Structure formats: C-alpha cells, structure tokens
Amino acid sequence: MTKKILVVDDEENILISLEFLLQRAGYDVAVAHDGDEALAQAERFAPDLILLDVMMPKKDGYEVCRLLRQDPRHEACKIVLLTAKGRDIDRAKGLAQGADDYLTKPFSTKELLEHVERLLAPGTV
Amino acid sequence: MPSAEGAFSWQPLPAWLAAIVAFGYLSLLFAVAYRADRQARLGRSLTDAGWVYALSIAVYCTAWTYFGSVGRAASGGLWFLPIYLGPTLVMLLAPVLVRRMVRVAKEWRITSVSDFIATRYGRAAGLGRFVSLFVFVGVVPYVALQLKAIAFAFDVLTGVPEATAAGWWSDRSLWVAVVLVIFAALFGTRHLDVTERHEGLVAAIAFESVVKLAAFLLLGAWVTFVVFPGPGAIVEAAQARFGTAIAPLDVVDGLHYGDWAVMILLSGLAFLLLPRQFQVMVVENVRVGHVDRAAWQFPAYLLLINLFVLPVALAGRLFFVDVSLDPDTYVLALPLAQGQSLLALLVFLGGISAATSMVIVESVAVATMVCNDWVAPWWVRRRQVAELGHAEIAGTLLWVRRVVIAAVLACGYGYYRLTGESFALVSIGLISFAAVAQLAPAALGGLFWSGGSRTGAAAGIAVGVLVWSYTLMLPSLAKSGWFEAHWLETGPWGMVWLQPERLFGVEGMAPLTASVVWSLGLNTLVYVLLSLVFPPHGAEAQGARRFVRVESSAGAGGVWRGRVGVPAVAQVMARFLGEERTRELLLGYARERGLAAVEALEVDAAFVRFAETMLAGAIGGAAARLVLETLLEEATPSFDDVMHVLDEANQIRTYSRMLEEKSRALEEATRRLQEANEKLTELDRLKDEFISAVTHELRTPLTSIRALAEILADDPDLPREDRLRFYRIIVRECERLTRLVNQVLDLAKLESGHGEWQPEALEMRDLVQEAIEAIVPLAQEKQVRLEVSIEPGLPAVWADRDRVVQVILNLLNNALKFVPSGAGIITIRVGRQAAGEVAVQVADNGPGIPPEFIPHVFERFRQATGGLAKPPGTGLGLAICKRIVEHLGGRIWVESLPGEGARFTFTVPIAERLEPGNEGGGHDDEENPSGR
C-alpha cells in the first residue's frame, strides 16, 4: 500500500521540489501552503507522514504539530519538522510538541528520503 | 592779637532764642529720622553706607567730649587725648574684633551687649539680667551728665544759672529730656525685632555727628585763624604768658604714663561695650563690610574733632586768664565774649547734638536690654501670653521699652538734680567707663576663647563690679558728700589695707587707675580661673564653640525628638515677629536648606536653634529660649542636656549620613550599570534575531536549490520540461540569494554609516521616471497599470541619485508584489510637501496592511502577507528605504486600510534649504576677486 505524505511549506519552490522528489520515490503526495491548510489536508488526506515547515504564516509548524497530536485520529501519523533555523533550542521545542523527527534546511534529498523511509518502515512506532 | 585780659564780660543771648533754637533743632532731628524711616520703608536705605555707619559710631563723642575736652586740655594739656586714643586703637583692630562681634551678633540676632554675654554663655538668663541691671545703673550717671551738659550749655549761653531761677518746670533740660524720650520712643522702638534696624534713629545720630563736628571745627578755625593769626601764634602767646604752653605728659595732675595706658585701655573697652556703642556699631550695622571702612573713617573723625582742642583750650586760658571761669565753658564763652552770637548758637547746637545723640541711643539700647532681660522672660512665662496675637505681644513689649526709655531719662534727670554740681563732667564719664569695662573679660574672652564658661564669666563680672563699686563708686559718692568720707582715709573698720583708693596698701596710682587695675585685673583672673575649673558643657559649650568659630548654625542637622511640628513653632514665632515676617524667615530658612516649601521643614535641633535665634532678635535670648522650652515641653531633661545629646548624636549622624550618601551613590552606579547591561542585552538579542532571520532567509532558497539540483543530478532522464522548470527555479532562487546578500550588506553599510553618498541637486521628476522605466517591463508582465502625476515647477532636491531611485524602485516593487495581477493599479504622485520638502507617493490597490502590522512595516524581515502566500522579497527593502530617506533628511510613512491598498510616502528636502554655501548665493565668487 502506498504511503501518503503531506508536505507543508509556504515556499512554493520547496513544495515543487519535495513533491516531485517524493512522488518519484513512490509516495502519494499532497501539499499545503500554511498551517490551516495543513490541518485541513491532514483531515482529508489522512497522511502517514507530514513534512512540516516551522516558519509559516497563520499557524506555525509547532502549533500545527501540537494540534495534530491532540487529535487521536492522527496518532499514527509521523511528523517531521523542517526548519531553516538550525538551533538546538528549536529542535528541542519541536520534539517537545510531539514531532518524530527534525530536519534542518537545506538538507540533502538522500537524507530526507532516508528519514522518511525509516519512519514509515513497518514496526516503527 | 586780641586780648580779653581783665575785660571779662559778654552779652548773653535771650533765653527764648536759645530755647527756640534748641527745640527747633530737635524738630529737625525728628524730620531727619522720619525721612530716613520712610526711605527705608520704600526700600532705599539711607544708612546703608559706610560713612553713615562711621558717623553713627561717633555717638561716642558726647557732650563730655564737646565741652570737657577743652576743659581737660586747658588744665591737663594732652590728658584729654587717651579717651580718643583707646577707640582709635580699637578701630585699628576693627577688621578683626568688631567684624567678629558684628558677625556673631548677626548670626545670633543679638540685641544688646547683655544679650551678647548671656547668649555666649549658653543663654544665661541670670547673667544677662545682672549685666543689664548693672549697665543700667552704670549708665544713669552718664545720661545725667548729658542732661547736665545741656542745662550747662543753656546757662552759659543765656547767662542765667537756671537751676536756681525758678521751679522745676522752668528747667529747659527737663523739657529737652522729655523731647528726647519722645524721640527715642518714636524712632528707637519701631519694631520688636531690633535686628530690623532703626534707620531713622541711625540717620539722626549720623546727622548729629555731622553737626557737632562742623560746629566744633568752625569754632576751632575761628579761634585759631580769626581771633588769633594761627596755631603758632597761640602757642607763642601761651608760652609768653604761662612759661609752658602744654603741660608735660608725665606730671599732669600727678598722673603718669601708667595712667595713660590704663586710660587708653579703659576708653577702648568702653568704646566697644557701652550700650550705645554696641547698639550703633553691632546691632544697627547694615553690612559687615562697613566695619572695615569705619576702621579709618572713625579715627579720622576723632582726629578732626580733636584738631582744635588744644588751640581753643590755650586761647580760652589766654582770654580768661584773670577770670575764674570753668574751662568747660570755653567753647561757648569764647564766641560770646567776641560778640559772635551766631557762632555761639552753632556751638550750642553742637553741644546739644552731642548730648542728645548719646542720650537717645543709650536709652534705646538700655531699654532693649532691660525689656529683653527682665520683662520679656518674666512676661512670656505667664499663661495668658499664649493666647495673645502678634499685635498685642509686640505692642506690649514695645510699650515696655518706651517706659524703660522714659525711666532711663527720669533716673538720669533725677541723678543730675540730686548730685548737682558735685561732679566734674569727666569723672562721671570715667566712672561709667570703668563700670562698662567690667564686661570686657567675659565679652571679649568669650569671643576668642571657647573655654570661657558661664561660671567664670558671672564670677568675674561680679568680682569686677564689687571692686569697682568699692574703689570708685563709693569714694566718689562719699566725696560728693553723700556720706562721710573719713573712712576713705582710714579704711572700713579701721582696716587700713582696705582703703578703697589704696587697696592692699598699694600706692602710687591715681584712684581711677588703681580701681581699673584692681577691678579689671581681679575680674579677668577670676574669669580665667573659674572657667578652667568649671569649663562650659552642653549647649553652653556648643554656643561657645560657635561664637569663637563663627560657625554657621545652618549646617547642623539632627532630629528633634518632639511631637511639636513646624506649624506650632511657626505660630509662636508669628506671635512675636508677625505673620508676614515669620513666613519670610521660614521660607528663607527652607530655601537655604534647599527645600522648596516651608511644609518640607522638620523640627530638628537646627530648626529649633533657628527659631530661637529669630525670636531672640525680638525678645532677647533668655525669653526666646523660655518660649521654645515651654513649647517643646516634653524635652524635660533640660535643654542643655538635650542639646548636648544632640551634639554628640549629630556627629554620629553626620558620619552615617555620609555613609548613606556613599551607598546611595553606589546604588546609583549599579543601577546605571544594570541599565547599560539591559541595553546591551537588548542589542545583543536584536542582533541574534537579525542573524537568525538572515539565516532563515538564506536557508530557504538554498533548500529548493539543493533539492532540485540533487533531483537533476540523480536522474539524467528527467523529462526536458521538468528539467527546464527546475533550472529556472534554481536560477530564480540564486537571484533571490544574491539580492538578499546585497541587501544585508547594504543595510549594514547604512546602519554603520559607512555608505557612500554623493548628494547633489536633483530633479525629482528625473528620478521617478528613471525608476518607472526600470519597473515598466515587470508591470507589463503582471498587467499592472502605472499612473504618474508630477506637479510642475518643483524645486530641485538635495539627495543622492542612486539612493533615491533605489527607494522609489523598492516602493514600486513592493506595490507590484501586492497588487492583483491583471487589475493592479499603482499611482505615483510627486508634489510639494511641507515647507522645503518634495514628497513622492506610491499607492497601490492591493489588500492593504493590517492595522496591527503598520507599526512594524519598516522593521527588518517583517513581511505582511495580507492573507496570501508569502510574497517574494527579502523583507529588508522597506527597512533600507527608511534608513536612506532618514539619512537624506526626509521622512517616510505609510497609510493603509485593509482592502483599500497601501499608500507609501517619503519626502526629501529641497536643495535650496540644504545645499552648502547657498545662503550667500553665487555672489561670493564674483565679489571676492574684486575685493582683493
């Protein structure tokens, strides 16, 4: 069964590149441009994993992460935070909000795919 | 050369004329005093002049001087001089001695010589009472002497020995005395606070000093140069007639050099301490600086008034050689004998003025003394005084003074009538001098020696007075026949060694000299010894130190542990000093201490001392202290002790205050450091935020670039369409990175102030067009309409071309970002703004800016999204615009309502206003060459 991934970022070009990359890697990909859209998409699309940008208009990544984690329907959904701020404090904050992983921009595509694969591998909780 | 030998007869003046002249003169005196008082009330002090001060000191020259000097010189040659040498020497010391007395008196608001002594020895009320009583008694004969002189002058002038003429009511000296009482009461008791000076009184005294000097000089000049051809001629005539012109110094009346020295000392001390001298010299002093000038002006006065004493005396002797005429009458007899009635009248007036000035000042001074030392303390102790207002209190006390003035004159007059002719003028004066001199050890010692104590002063004065009475007063009374004089020779109860005039068997001194040596010597000895045995303590020691050092009382702080507030003290002060004056004084005191209002004052030891000092000016030190003691009753452990404790506590408090000040300064420094630190922290935080924001802005495009580049690299078989799309994105993101880096650098340059600026006069029209040309392709691409309107005839602006174009482009780009594609309209308006500015406005029809965001528009990395996806741009453009515009001296702002677009406006100053060297215009260049 094809895993579904939701990519959330306010940068159109990042969405373009990640959508292309992940589709080619065999995932079912949906995109969202801000926090609200992300929550709506999560509802509708029910992704197995969300790549979530932190710095976004309206609701930021942390907020989206927190709301998703409050919803039992998304319990199984993996969340990977993407941030352009590479500070330890941001990483800790993200993990505290219930994110499963954390990637600092710019990342290599290989690194991203590895993380995604590992998180979606069966047996991983 | 004229000679009156054997031809003694003169035409006396009619009695009525003498009376009219005398009382006319006294009326003139009233006028002078009245005018001076009026001027003083109008704020134009007549007595605030050094020479007036010096002239008022000349109250020293009494009728005794006026008539007696010539008498003395006629019989004793130069023996008239020591009485003037003493004051002259004292005045040479005035800048040290008198100045100090004046300053102390001003600081402590001292009202009289007895107050001076009492205040110095810890507000010793008893001592003050004793001194004032003694001075009163000592001064009465002196006043009598003046009244006698007045009667005497009348007698000589009118040729009628009036004392025997008719009843007491026809005694003109009595009526003169009555007029003097009225004068002294009118002008000498104007205010309760004697430290508010009596301008009228002083002016009248100075005027009298001029009159007596002028009269005497005129007489002297007339005798010396008109009657005789010159002073040499008089001396020659005297030598021819008597063998010697002037008696040798050492054998006049059996007097010796020692007597000279004692006489000089005596007159010097009396000059300082006689009530009237203290009054004019110390109490009535307007400025301390006047003392310095009086130091030579007053001796000069003495020199002038004595200039013709010897010639007149010799002339008198020559003139009246065969007539047994009292030499004291020479000054009047000479002009009368020559038929110079007018001159005789003038001399008569001089004598009257000498006598009256003394009587007036002396009675006022003694009245203040008696009132403050005796009546006021006794009176304020009575309960009902507490209920009286200022007017009643002042009124009553002033009336007390007036009554005392009358009493002084009545006593003087009575004394004169009783003793009659039994005293020579000089001897009465000298007895008074010797009496007053008894105050010298306590007064002068107290001024320079802080070790002098109350016990020492009181005992010294008591001993001095005792010895003075025994060796001088009693013998003189005995000699005038009041009681049997034989014990003078045998000593009391046959004890020869107690002979009053040869005490302890010591012989060879004139009675006066002996009395002065014994009384003053023992007085000083007792004062010093007892002061050493019983040194001052408590408040007395404090007062002593302050007297000697002339410390400012304002410096001392200290807390008064009482429940009495400033208003209560002020109320008491107002009762004696009046509401208005009290308010003035308190305000002055508060200002002195750096407080804005009286309300801020606290009742501390310094304040109590201040209140006491101010009250002392009105009712004397003793009464003032009593009043405050009653008020601050809870301080029952006695004022002295409290002051003592406060004195010690004060020092500790001074240290602790210093410590407090230090620690406060430290706290202040710490606070400033903290502030600086917070500022630094804030700056650091801002810098971190900026770097973090820049990092974010760099990483975002890098993420796309890297991802796309890796996709391209990993899959060479990508469809061409995708490849091209990705390449384009990569290029665009690279451009975005470049732009960001450039703008960060640009901003850094602007903020550090190292940017390169090339300002010049520019037409804003050109700049706007340049910017529009650059933006047109983008606008066309987005199908945005550009509307431009430029006001014609705009002045040139003073700016940097590239920078202004950058700002306009930034605003246009910004607008372009937000306007809807296809329907966008951007309006550019250029016109005049407020004086001296050209404004450029860029308006769009985009979504506008949310109101809460408007304040942050020009901050770095603050991008409004207006609800749409993130617009392209670095977030630095507007921040850069703001810095550029402000650097050029203009302003930039934005107006916007959500949904109605945004309107950015910036202004640039016009060239005319800022261009350097513009004021002079271009003319300089043309003028300069022709000028050279």
Side-chain angles (χ1 to χ4, degrees):
Chain A
M1 187 193 160
T2 315
K3 298 284 187 183
K4 292 188 279 185
I5 297 176
L6 173 64
V7 183
V8 188
D9 202 304
D10 61 333
E11 282 281 331
E12 187 64 32
N13 291 336
I14 288 176
L15 289 180
I16 291 170
S17 59
L18 293 187
E19 188 183 15
F20 188 88
L21 182 75
L22 292 168
Q23 276 173 350
R24 212 185 41 166
Y27 297 104
D28 193 358
V29 181
V31 298
H33 292 87
D34 58 49
D36 288 342
E37 203 184 329
L39 289 172
Q41 282 283 45
E43 202 71 40
R44 193 163 46 85
F45 185 61
D48 299 298
L49 185 143
I50 302 177
L51 290 175
L52 187 56
D53 182 30
V54 173
M55 294 272 282
M56 282 187 304
K58 293 183 183 170
K59 289 189 179 65
D60 71 8
Y62 298 129
E63 175 77 1
V64 173
C65 186
R66 195 176 56 79
L67 290 170
L68 286 174
R69 279 291 172 251
Q70 280 173 358
D71 191 338
R73 287 173 295 171
H74 302 301
E75 208 176 352
C77 180
K78 308 288 182 191
I79 299 174
V80 179
L81 285 176
L82 304 177
T83 176
K85 293 185 173 181
R87 298 182 301 187
D88 287 344
I89 176 98
D90 300 317
R91 184 188 182 86
K93 199 171 161 189
L95 296 179
Q97 299 291 345
D100 296 284
D101 209 345
Y102 188 96
L103 276 173
T104 304
K105 294 176 182 176
F107 39 77
S108 77
T109 47
K110 211 172 129 207
E111 189 187 3
L112 176 78
L113 287 173
E114 273 171 17
H115 278 260
V116 169
E117 271 164 36
R118 197 174 62 235
L119 283 168
L120 291 177
T124 315
V125 180
Chain B
M1 198 218 301
S3 170
E5 289 166 38
F8 169 59
S9 70
W10 70 68
Q11 197 58 47
L13 294 175
W16 60 265
L17 183 62
I20 285 176
V21 167
F23 288 96
Y25 171 75
L26 288 176
S27 312
L28 182 63
L29 222 51
F30 275 86
V32 169
Y34 178 73
R35 185 169 160 71
D37 258 350
R38 255 181 66 117
Q39 294 289 323
R41 266 203 300 283
L42 295 174
R44 291 190 292 269
S45 173
L46 292 179
T47 60
D48 185 9
W51 60 272
V52 174
Y53 177 67
L55 281 176
S56 71
I57 296 177
V59 74
Y60 180 75
C61 301
T62 63
W64 176 23
T65 298
Y66 201 78
F67 300 113
S69 278
V70 168
R72 202 115 216 251
S75 58
L78 288 178
W79 188 235
F80 73 97
L81 263 186
I83 287 169
Y84 307 102
L85 292 178
T88 302
L89 291 175
V90 166
M91 278 320 271
L92 290 180
L93 293 174
V96 181
L97 188 62
V98 180
R99 220 186 147 90
R100 196 186 193 110
M101 282 170 84
V102 168
R103 278 172 58 192
V104 165
K106 278 190 192 307
E107 194 194 319
W108 292 76
R109 308 214 133 208
I110 280 163
T111 58
S112 65
V113 65
S114 67
D115 195 22
F116 184 82
I117 291 173
T119 304
R120 159 63 178 81
Y121 296 102
R123 300 248 191 260
L127 186 59
R129 272 203 291 280
F130 178 72
V131 169
S132 57
L133 182 70
F134 173 58
V135 168
F136 181 95
V137 172
V139 146
V140 162
Y142 206 174
V143 172
L145 170 65
Q146 306 305 318
L147 296 176
K148 179 179 169 179
I150 291 166
F152 165 85
F154 268 115
D155 288 354
V156 175
L157 196 67
T158 58
V160 184
E162 78 169 307
T164 57
W168 58 268
W169 44 268
S170 70
D171 180 358
R172 279 155 301 195
S173 63
L174 171 65
W175 297 113
V176 169
V178 170
V179 173
L180 292 182
V181 168
I182 295 169
F183 184 92
L186 255 183
F187 295 103
T189 62
R190 290 198 84 77
H191 359 257
L192 188 58
D193 188 352
V194 289
T195 51
E196 280 181 35
R197 297 169 315 273
H198 302 105
E199 301 257 349
L201 186 84
V202 173
I205 297 312
F207 173 75
E208 296 214 278
S209 292
V210 173
V211 170
K212 66 194 178 200
L213 178 64
F216 202 88
L217 282 178
L218 210 62
L219 171 81
W222 173 75
V223 169
T224 312
F225 298 106
V226 179
V227 180
F228 289 87
I234 299 178
V235 174
E236 273 168 29
Q239 260 165 348
R241 187 71 182 80
F242 311 114
T244 54
I246 303 163
L249 290 185
D250 55 341
V251 283
V252 178
D253 288 351
L255 295 168
H256 302 279
Y257 291 125
D259 301 309
W260 267 72
V262 166
M263 196 58 122
I264 289 171
L265 175 73
L266 194 59
S267 58
L269 294 179
F271 171 71
L272 269 179
L273 299 170
L274 276 169
R276 67 172 190 280
Q277 294 306 129
F278 194 88
Q279 181 82 26
V280 292
M281 220 165 14
V282 179
V283 179
E284 304 283 354
N285 173 279
V286 182
R287 278 170 215 287
V288 180
H290 290 166
V291 173
D292 296 346
R293 259 171 291 161
W296 64 266
Q297 284 168 334
F298 178 67
Y301 185 96
L302 289 183
L303 180 71
L304 283 177
I305 206 160
N306 282 300
L307 202 56
F308 291 110
V309 167
L310 271 179
V312 172
L314 287 178
R317 281 186 70 194
L318 285 169
F319 229 90
F320 306 111
V321 70
D322 293 330
V323 189
S324 83
L325 189 65
D326 182 355
D328 288 353
T329 62
Y330 284 175
V331 285
L332 275 171
L334 276 168
L336 282 172
Q338 290 284 308
Q340 296 286 342
S341 315
L342 209 61
L343 183 61
L345 264 178
L346 192 66
V347 171
F348 169 70
L349 278 187
I352 295 279
S353 65
T356 53
S357 60
M358 181 277 180
V359 171
I360 290 165
V361 183
E362 202 87 272
S363 62
V364 167
V366 170
T368 307
M369 219 184 281
V370 171
C371 173
N372 285 353
D373 288 329
W374 286 87
V375 183
W378 164 80
W379 190 59
V380 297
R381 219 189 300 246
R382 292 163 52 129
R383 283 265 164 252
Q384 57 265 44
V385 177
E387 277 101 55
L388 294 179
H390 167 65
E392 287 107 330
I393 290 178
T396 311
L397 288 179
L398 288 179
W399 269 109
V400 169
R401 281 190 201 167
R402 286 169 197 144
V403 169
V404 178
I405 287 171
V408 169
L409 272 136
C411 289
Y413 184 74
Y415 188 91
Y416 145 64
R417 295 299 297 215
L418 278 175
T419 54
E421 301 299 317
S422 61
F423 279 107
L425 291 181
V426 171
S427 54
I428 298 181
L430 288 178
I431 289 170
S432 282
F433 271 30
V436 170
Q438 300 310 322
L439 306 179
L444 300 184
L447 201 56
F448 292 97
W449 180 39
S450 66
S453 75
R454 183 189 303 184
T455 318
I461 292 175
V463 167
V465 168
L466 217 67
V467 176
W468 166 82
S469 313
Y470 186 68
T471 57
L472 205 60
M473 196 65 192
L474 282 181
S476 71
L477 288 178
K479 278 177 192 163
S480 62
W482 281 38
F483 46 85
E484 284 193 47
H486 69 87
W487 63 276
L488 291 180
E489 298 302 320
T490 58
W493 305 288
M495 288 182 277
V496 180
W497 60 275
L498 272 181
Q499 247 179 289
E501 294 185 337
R502 276 183 287 280
L503 209 56
F504 310 120
V506 177
E507 299 205 27
M509 286 189 285
L512 176 73
T513 309
S515 172
V516 169
V517 166
W518 282 120
S519 60
L520 214 50
L522 288 173
N523 181 338
T524 310
L525 191 71
V526 169
Y527 169 69
V528 172
L529 283 182
L530 285 187
S531 290
L532 289 175
V533 176
F534 305 102
H537 53 78
E540 192 195 336
Q542 215 183 6
R545 280 199 296 279
R546 213 167 297 115
F547 249 67
V548 172
R549 267 186 263 143
V550 198
E551 269 176 13
S552 168
S553 59
V559 179
W560 189 267
R561 271 179 251 271
R563 288 187 297 267
V564 179
V566 171
V569 179
Q571 205 184 336
V572 169
M573 285 173 75
R575 279 217 297 280
F576 293 94
L577 303 168
E579 291 277 352
E580 202 175 321
R581 178 126 177 84
T582 301
R583 214 172 314 119
E584 268 171 35
L585 287 170
L586 286 176
L587 201 62
Y589 177 77
R591 294 242 170 87
E592 216 170 83
R593 325 209 107 207
L595 300 170
V598 176
E599 285 71 31
L601 284 172
E602 278 177 20
V603 180
D604 53 13
F607 179 76
V608 172
R609 203 176 309 123
F610 159 78
E612 192 180 326
T613 312
M614 293 306 126
L615 281 175
I619 52 175
R625 193 177 133 196
L626 225 112
V627 165
L628 280 173
E629 257 179 14
T630 319
L631 180 71
L632 307 162
E633 196 105 85
E634 57 251 73
T636 24
S638 114
F639 198 74
D640 288 20
D641 297 341
V642 174
M643 290 308 274
H644 187 57
V645 170
L646 281 174
D647 192 27
E648 282 173 0
N650 222 5
Q651 286 188 349
I652 298 167
R653 213 163 284 122
T654 309
Y655 287 128
S656 84
R657 205 184 307 131
M658 276 161 61
L659 267 173
E660 247 172 56
E661 271 163 23
K662 284 257 161 65
S663 80
R664 215 174 299 135
L666 215 67
E667 269 170 32
E668 173 69 14
T670 313
R671 199 180 55 74
R672 282 213 207 106
L673 264 174
Q674 266 172 354
E675 273 175 15
N677 200 32
E678 273 164 28
K679 217 168 169 184
L680 273 175
T681 314
E682 170 68 9
L683 281 174
D684 201 41
R685 196 182 58 77
L686 285 174
K687 192 200 73 189
D688 272 0
E689 252 178 32
F690 181 67
I691 286 171
S692 168
V694 168
T695 308
H696 181 268
E697 294 303 309
L698 286 170
R699 279 179 168 163
T700 303
L702 278 174
T703 308
S704 311
I705 291 168
R706 185 171 182 181
L708 291 170
E710 282 180 359
I711 291 168
L712 286 167
D714 286 352
D715 192 353
D717 305 325
L718 225 51
R720 181 186 144 81
E721 194 186 322
D722 285 334
R723 246 192 354 250
L724 284 178
R725 185 158 65 104
F726 293 164
Y727 282 139
R728 267 199 297 273
I729 293 174
I730 289 171
V731 170
R732 266 212 304 280
E733 292 289 30
C734 282
E735 283 168 359
R736 182 174 159 192
L737 277 175
T738 311
R739 203 160 57 235
L740 178 72
V741 170
N742 284 341
Q743 290 199 338
V744 167
L745 289 176
D746 203 12
L747 191 67
K749 242 194 290 182
L750 283 172
E751 289 191 343
S752 66
H754 292 310
E756 286 159 24
W757 298 84
Q758 286 163 334
E760 55 189 319
L762 299 167
E763 293 297 330
M764 189 57 91
R765 171 190 294 271
D766 301 344
L767 304 180
V768 169
Q769 266 155 8
E770 191 179 332
I772 288 170
E773 273 162 30
I775 205 85
V776 159
L778 268 175
Q780 280 173 349
E781 188 183 306
K782 216 181 167 186
Q783 290 180 300
V784 170
R785 203 167 80 228
L786 293 175
E787 291 177 357
V788 185
S789 85
I790 299 175
E791 196 181 301
L794 282 174
V797 295
W798 186 255
D800 181 291
R801 165 178 287 270
D802 293 346
R803 288 299 189 181
V804 175
V805 172
Q806 186 185 356
V807 171
I808 302 168
L809 258 177
N810 260 337
L811 294 179
L812 289 174
N813 267 317
N814 205 42
L816 213 52
K817 263 188 273 174
F818 289 100
V819 290
S821 263
I825 304 168
I826 296 175
T827 317
I828 302 138
R829 283 192 208 90
V830 183
R832 263 176 214 271
Q833 188 67 22
E837 284 179 334
V838 169
V840 178
Q841 197 177 73
V842 178
D844 63 55
N845 63 342
I849 303 166
E852 72 274 10
F853 193 74
I854 286 184
H856 305 293
V857 162
F858 295 101
E859 288 173 21
R860 302 172 298 195
F861 298 118
R862 294 283 194 149
Q863 281 176 305
T865 56
L868 298 173
K870 187 173 174 169
T874 58
L876 290 176
L878 287 174
I880 289 173
C881 285
K882 182 174 163 69
R883 279 173 180 75
I884 290 171
V885 168
E886 283 174 357
H887 188 96
L888 292 172
R891 299 165 292 140
I892 186 166
W893 67 94
V894 65
E895 297 148 290
S896 175
L897 285 171
E900 291 178 19
R903 195 162 68 213
F904 283 87
T905 314
F906 75 93
T907 65
V908 182
I910 62 173
E912 215 174 275
R913 201 164 61 124
L914 287 181
E915 194 177 352
N918 206 29
E919 294 86 1
H923 302 292
D924 280 355
D925 295 331
E926 292 162 20
E927 277 173 15
N928 282 343
S930 65
R932 287 191 188 115

